[in-house]
Amino acid sequence: MLDLGFALLLTLLATGLGARILHGLRAAPEHPADLFGLAFPLGAGLLSLGVLALGQFPALTVLGLSVLLALVAELGLRVGVRLAGRLASAPLAPRADGRPAGIDRIMTVFLLATIAATGISALAPVLDGDALCYHLQVPKVFPRDGQVSFEPDLHETVYPLTTEMLYLVALAFRGPVACRGIQWMLGLAMAANVTALARPTLGRRAWWAGAGALLVPAVTNGMGAPLNDVALAAFGTAAIAAWVRWHEQPDARSAALAGVFTGLAAGVKYPALVLGSLLFACLALRPLWSRREDARRGWGDALGHALAFLPAAV
């Protein structure tokens, strides 16, 4: 339980950091679940980059990581606690349309059962071969030298390492089960982003989409394993959600935010480069499907937004 508690604490701090940045950029969604879906990947990604920065010097030690976590706590603890309170009170808020229907209750049962089952499975010892040989082995090797470096006998040290840098923090202070907890929370963030994407269409039943995403067997299996597939889904859906917000209200700030999430997703796993290419193409070519009078003056804005998206992703 201490491992899960550490994962929850890390989630709280990272979410607070991400939410603080989103509020500062005036890009924070109104619904607390939508905010969590963007804030946690953003804060976790920045924390991962902070660990990677420590690894460029002989500072990848418990002391260095403690200082980094203290800085994240200073910036994000209060905001994270407030957001956690909003998330806890959201299901208890009175409904304007009366009592939930029977199908809503059935979906709620499946959703809660899935969250509970995946949470329990995340407490089991790590036996996944890919985790032991790569996802946990790489962050276990780096602190030995106090820095991030190429290991000839471990070729995965040149792979994208966004998730593994988060695992490094968990391994430094707790152990491999805490890494399972981090992946479990990223799965919940992915479901929150799917819900946010469905909200304009499904309204109050947008959470059905998130519940359906969690019920996919590959997701339920991946949420309890310290790998990076569910992490890729979390960062990828965050990139899509940020891009949709740009599509609804185009500006350079929203384009840059979508680029940040795209870059973090590519830092989890290379297939995200395909997603990034699609988002960039849709962003840069927006005037092609705009109204004719808007398209004539839209290419300048499209170029500016593309120049905000690409460097942020890089």
Side-chain angles (χ1 to χ4, degrees):
M1 293 303 293
L2 290 177
D3 293 304
L4 182 59
F6 180 82
L8 292 174
L9 175 62
L10 198 64
T11 301
L12 180 70
L13 299 180
T15 302
L17 175 62
R20 182 167 184 168
I21 294 173
L22 290 172
H23 283 298
L25 295 174
R26 298 178 183 176
E30 181 178 353
H31 197 284
D34 299 352
L35 179 56
F36 169 73
L38 290 180
F40 179 39
L42 178 59
L46 294 178
L47 174 61
S48 177
L49 290 176
V51 176
L52 186 61
L54 290 177
Q56 304 311 303
F57 310 94
L60 203 55
T61 62
V62 173
L63 177 59
L65 294 172
S66 298
V67 172
L68 178 62
L69 286 181
L71 178 61
V72 174
E74 175 65 24
L75 296 174
L77 180 58
R78 291 185 178 180
V79 181
V81 170
R82 286 198 296 268
L83 179 56
R86 291 180 60 196
L87 286 170
S89 61
L92 303 177
R95 297 170 59 94
D97 52 352
R99 301 176 61 185
I103 187 64
D104 291 315
R105 295 192 180 94
I106 294 175
M107 288 292 294
T108 300
V109 170
F110 279 113
L111 176 61
L112 294 178
T114 301
I115 293 176
T118 53
I120 292 173
S121 67
L123 299 177
V126 177
L127 299 175
D128 309 88
D130 201 22
L132 296 175
C133 296
Y134 162 27
H135 299 287
L136 297 183
Q137 182 65 19
V138 169
K140 185 179 178 181
V141 166
F142 288 155
R144 181 188 62 191
D145 301 324
Q147 59 186 357
V148 173
S149 58
F150 173 64
E151 176 60 47
D153 295 327
L154 193 61
H155 67 277
E156 292 90 351
T157 51
V158 299
Y159 284 11
L161 297 173
T162 297
T163 314
E164 286 68 29
M165 293 296 99
L166 295 175
Y167 291 163
L168 193 153
V169 177
L171 290 172
F173 293 99
R174 286 302 307 169
V177 176
C179 301
R180 284 183 179 271
I182 293 173
Q183 193 73 184
W184 182 65
M185 293 304 303
L186 285 169
L188 297 182
M190 180 272 297
N193 285 320
V194 173
T195 300
L197 291 170
R199 198 173 301 284
T201 303
L202 298 181
R204 67 175 182 84
R205 284 180 171 165
W207 64 274
W208 283 23
L214 286 181
L215 290 170
V216 174
V219 174
T220 54
N221 291 335
M223 284 177 66
L227 307 175
N228 61 5
D229 301 292
V230 173
L232 176 62
F235 285 98
T237 52
I240 296 173
W243 181 91
V244 169
R245 291 179 64 84
W246 165 87
H247 184 73
E248 294 173 350
Q249 295 181 342
D251 58 53
R253 183 173 51 218
S254 299
L257 185 62
V260 168
F261 282 117
T262 301
L264 291 174
V268 174
K269 215 168 186 178
Y270 285 137
L273 293 173
V274 178
L275 171 64
S277 299
L278 293 173
L279 296 183
F280 177 77
C282 293
L283 184 147
L285 301 177
R286 177 187 173 92
L288 290 180
W289 57 82
S290 299
R291 291 181 301 177
R292 181 173 300 178
E293 59 272 19
D294 293 337
R296 291 173 182 172
R297 61 177 182 270
W299 286 108
D301 291 341
L303 177 61
H305 298 169
L307 292 178
F309 177 95
L310 191 59
V314 173

